[in-house]
Amino acid sequence: YNADAIQIVVVEQSLCWGLTLAAHLVVIMGTQHYDGSEHRYVDYPITSVVQMMGRACRPLKDSNGKCSIFCYAPKKEFYKKFLYEPFPVESHLDHMLHNHLNAEIGTKTIENFQDAVDYLTWTFMYRRLTQNPNYYNLQGTSHRHISDHLSELIEGTLQDLETSKCISIDDVDLSPLNLGMIASYYYITYTTVELFNSSLSKKTKMKGLMEILSHANEFETVPLRQGEERALERLARRMPWRVNAEDGYHSPHVKAHLLLQSHFARQKLSPTVQADRDALLPIAVRLLQAIVDVISSGGWLEPALAAMELSQMIVQGMWSNESVLLQIPHMTKDLASKAAKAGIKSIFDVLDMEDDDRDKLLSMTEAQMNDVATMCNAYPNVDVKFEIADADDITAGGRVVMQVALERDADDEDEDEEEDTKGAGYVVEPVYSQRYPQTKSEAWWLVIGDPKKNKLISIKRVVMRKKVHNVRLDFIAPAEGDYNLKLFFMCDSYLGCDQEYEFKIKVLEGDDDDDDDDEDEESS
């Protein structure tokens, strides 16, 4: 179109915000779209109509532009009035107030009830209350009416947050709780973190995690189109995990569940549905990070490891029980099976092969082999070394400290040894994935756990931005005895590169009695 090869471009309304093309004439064919969640046609948002109109008039080419809007006759006067007269903009803060207050309480900006009321007086909504009271269900515009309305709004919101275990209320003082901090940090709604907290348990498996993940409030906006139910039902028959669709396939959560499964199965979809799937993948990764934190709060090891594995599956677009070689571009299941018979089962095996043997096995073009080389070079090879401080003097109830040294590509030889040691100038490439729609940084979880008891003891997330990382993990020593524990090093983006190390700790009897005697002597 920009090269004048074609004269007309037809665009779906949902793409209006990402469109950069401009034309002398824009025709808006209808101002409604089908909303699957409500099973009816709804009007385009006014902001979207304005955005579409803004595509009329080519900069530096046209002195004016034309826009034709085709709509139902009763809507004609509405659009005329909207176009020729100022249109009021109202606040929707009251609909989203829970998440705003939760975030401000988490950062200590709001510490009591009065702070919350004062916070609202600096908002656009407060300015509009007196200008359009009916819109905000105000009984009057006097200072008393507004004060009562704000107090009631704040009180109801804070009670909801307290019920969700996001904050604690002590008389008038407000303080954040762990769930509230998680919701604020990962930018998810308070209802989602409440769902995670109430649904997750120490027995949750991968399938259960998918069910809980897909029911997150963030997927409410997944678009549902007319006639899409049959396509989703056909898709569900081809997926290995059965979806709970008792109420039909018109739910955005059912669609999210099926789209994630189709992503793992590398199922080809129509461009529109593919765009829906690409939009929800980054959201799913962020939600999984929150799920790991919620599970860690409960101290459950197996569900946490399953959530980390699910994150890898989403980034690479494959099932965890498939060959890790499928992460390599242009790799097919038949080719991966052929490589497995030749003894090549991991990406490290591919890297260790002779060039001629690799070329013979893969039988790819030069351009495809360049893609393979790019992926294999980006694949993480991290050397993990750990040491427990004062390992011979661990007492019950005392703090155990583990120092972990992480070195990426430790086997690579650099000409400058000092540079290699410090990692100066070393750049960690973004995660290589042809099936993830955004650029992503490589991150890892370090986890100390007791697999026999399904107990997670300590966890820390590390984003690999440099060659060498030194990480400190600590936890409270259990009761006296010998313990066989494991250190897990789990990637959030690649399959097949996770590591685990067994180690033992001997916990001696604590000196609580001595401490009590010392305290008694001091008090006397």
Side-chain angles (χ1 to χ4, degrees):
Y1 177 79
N2 285 330
D4 294 330
I6 58 173
Q7 293 181 305
I8 299 174
V9 177
V10 181
V11 184
E12 187 191 20
Q13 62 90 15
S14 61
L15 301 178
C16 68
W17 290 97
L19 194 67
T20 57
L21 299 176
H24 178 68
L25 171 65
V26 170
V27 179
I28 301 176
M29 292 295 294
T31 58
Q32 292 187 325
H33 69 98
Y34 183 77
D35 188 339
S37 60
E38 298 187 19
H39 300 288
R40 67 184 182 92
Y41 283 89
V42 296
D43 292 328
Y44 292 164
I46 291 297
T47 49
S48 294
V49 176
V50 174
Q51 184 70 12
M52 296 177 202
M53 293 170 57
R55 298 295 93 205
C57 185
R58 295 167 294 182
L60 304 179
K61 281 189 178 182
D62 299 327
S63 58
N64 57 51
K66 295 181 180 179
C67 179
S68 298
I69 302 177
F70 289 77
C71 61
Y72 288 118
K75 288 285 182 182
K76 183 178 178 182
E77 293 301 320
F78 167 77
Y79 281 109
K80 282 174 63 178
K81 183 178 180 181
F82 156 65
L83 292 173
Y84 299 138
E85 297 178 13
F87 197 78
V89 178
E90 299 297 347
S91 170
H92 283 76
L93 178 62
D94 49 338
H95 298 282
M96 306 291 177
L97 190 58
H98 294 80
N99 300 314
H100 282 279
L101 287 186
N102 180 55
E104 298 299 345
I105 292 170
T107 57
K108 301 289 186 181
T109 303
I110 295 175
E111 294 184 321
N112 53 55
F113 188 90
Q114 188 58 46
D115 286 348
V117 176
D118 293 343
Y119 173 81
L120 282 186
T121 62
W122 290 92
T123 62
F124 176 65
M125 184 185 77
Y126 182 75
R127 297 287 179 266
R128 293 298 303 167
L129 285 175
T130 55
Q131 303 298 318
N132 195 356
N134 290 336
Y135 184 85
Y136 301 96
N137 297 321
L138 241 72
Q139 303 299 321
T141 57
S142 67
H143 180 74
R144 178 65 182 272
H145 281 104
I146 293 176
S147 178
D148 290 346
H149 176 78
L150 293 181
S151 297
E152 185 179 336
L153 181 63
I154 291 292
E155 188 174 342
T157 303
L158 293 178
Q159 284 178 354
D160 289 343
L161 289 173
E162 185 183 31
T163 304
S164 304
K165 299 180 181 177
C166 289
I167 65 169
S168 66
I169 302 176
D170 182 14
D171 196 12
V172 294
D173 293 329
L174 310 172
S175 56
L177 297 179
N178 187 49
L179 292 181
M181 301 284 277
I182 292 173
S184 175
Y185 183 81
Y186 292 108
Y187 201 62
I188 61 178
T189 63
Y190 82 102
T191 51
T192 296
V193 81
E194 182 185 17
L195 168 73
F196 292 165
N197 185 56
S198 60
S199 304
L200 292 165
S201 70
K202 62 182 179 181
K203 296 181 179 179
T204 303
K205 306 293 184 187
M206 182 81 75
K207 189 177 178 181
L209 279 173
M210 271 285 289
E211 194 73 32
I212 295 167
L213 174 66
S214 60
H215 276 80
N217 190 58
E218 279 67 16
F219 294 133
E220 283 284 350
T221 55
V222 172
L224 296 168
R225 299 172 186 84
Q226 193 171 19
E228 210 172 47
E229 293 180 33
R230 292 179 183 176
L232 291 175
E233 190 174 355
R234 288 196 300 270
L235 183 63
R237 294 196 198 105
R238 298 197 295 269
M239 294 299 109
W241 287 342
R242 188 169 172 271
V243 179
N244 183 12
E246 295 177 357
D247 299 329
Y249 289 86
H250 57 269
S251 163
H253 303 293
V254 171
K255 182 175 178 179
H257 195 294
L258 288 172
L259 289 182
L260 285 173
Q261 286 200 65
S262 71
H263 178 60
F264 304 148
R266 301 190 171 183
Q267 189 86 31
K268 288 187 176 180
L269 303 172
S270 67
T272 307
V273 181
Q274 176 70 46
D276 296 341
R277 186 168 74 182
D278 288 345
L280 66 82
L281 294 180
I283 300 173
V285 169
R286 192 174 79 244
L287 290 170
L288 276 171
Q289 292 171 4
I291 284 177
V292 170
D293 281 11
V294 173
I295 292 173
S296 303
S297 304
W300 307 315
L301 180 62
E302 289 179 9
L305 298 178
M308 297 169 190
E309 198 173 302
L310 188 54
S311 176
Q312 299 171 359
M313 290 162 55
I314 289 174
V315 174
Q316 292 300 328
M318 57 181 284
W319 296 100
S320 59
N321 57 3
E322 293 180 314
S323 170
V324 296
L325 297 179
L326 291 176
Q327 297 172 97
I328 297 175
H330 316 297
M331 179 69 70
T332 62
K333 290 185 179 180
D334 292 339
L335 193 53
S337 178
K338 178 183 174 183
K341 290 177 182 177
I344 307 300
K345 296 183 179 180
S346 72
I347 294 176
F348 296 119
D349 292 338
V350 176
L351 286 166
D352 293 339
M353 293 177 71
E354 296 293 334
D355 291 345
D356 294 340
D357 295 338
R358 189 187 303 119
D359 293 343
K360 183 179 178 181
L361 175 67
L362 299 180
S363 302
M364 294 181 181
T365 64
E366 185 178 349
Q368 289 176 331
M369 287 302 294
N370 288 337
D371 292 340
V372 172
T374 302
M375 188 276 163
C376 291
N377 290 333
Y379 194 73
N381 179 16
V382 183
D383 184 50
V384 180
K385 296 178 181 177
F386 64 93
E387 182 182 8
I388 297 176
D390 301 325
D392 298 330
D393 190 25
I394 300 175
T395 57
R399 187 168 295 278
V400 182
V401 177
M402 175 185 282
Q403 295 288 349
V404 183
L406 307 174
E407 186 174 359
R408 205 177 190 281
D409 299 326
D411 297 333
D412 290 355
E413 295 180 2
D414 288 349
E415 295 178 3
D416 187 350
E417 294 183 2
E418 184 178 348
E419 182 180 325
D420 183 41
T421 305
K422 296 181 180 179
Y426 184 85
V427 177
V428 177
E429 296 293 330
V431 172
Y432 187 98
S433 174
Q434 293 186 318
R435 302 182 182 277
Y436 191 74
Q438 293 184 356
T439 302
K440 185 182 182 306
S441 298
E442 179 189 309
W444 299 76
W445 283 284
L446 275 166
V447 181
I448 298 175
D450 187 341
K452 289 184 178 179
K453 296 181 180 178
N454 186 23
K455 187 176 181 182
L456 189 150
I457 299 171
S458 182
I459 184 170
K460 185 159 286 189
R461 190 165 182 269
V462 182
V463 179
M464 297 291 279
R465 292 197 177 94
K466 54 187 181 180
K467 187 175 180 69
V468 179
H469 279 267
N470 292 306
V471 184
R472 170 186 163 126
L473 289 167
D474 55 34
F475 59 94
I476 302 300
E480 180 184 1
D482 295 332
Y483 294 88
N484 295 317
L485 305 178
K486 272 189 178 182
L487 173 67
F488 296 88
F489 186 53
M490 303 288 293
C491 187
D492 75 337
S493 305
Y494 293 103
L495 288 99
C497 57
D498 302 329
Q499 303 177 43
E500 56 182 71
Y501 301 90
E502 292 185 353
F503 67 96
K504 297 180 180 180
I505 61 169
K506 183 180 180 67
V507 181
L508 306 175
E509 184 180 358
D511 47 12
D512 295 341
D513 297 338
D514 297 338
D515 292 343
D516 293 340
D517 293 341
D518 293 341
E519 290 176 6
D520 293 339
E521 290 176 8
E522 289 177 6
S523 59
S524 59

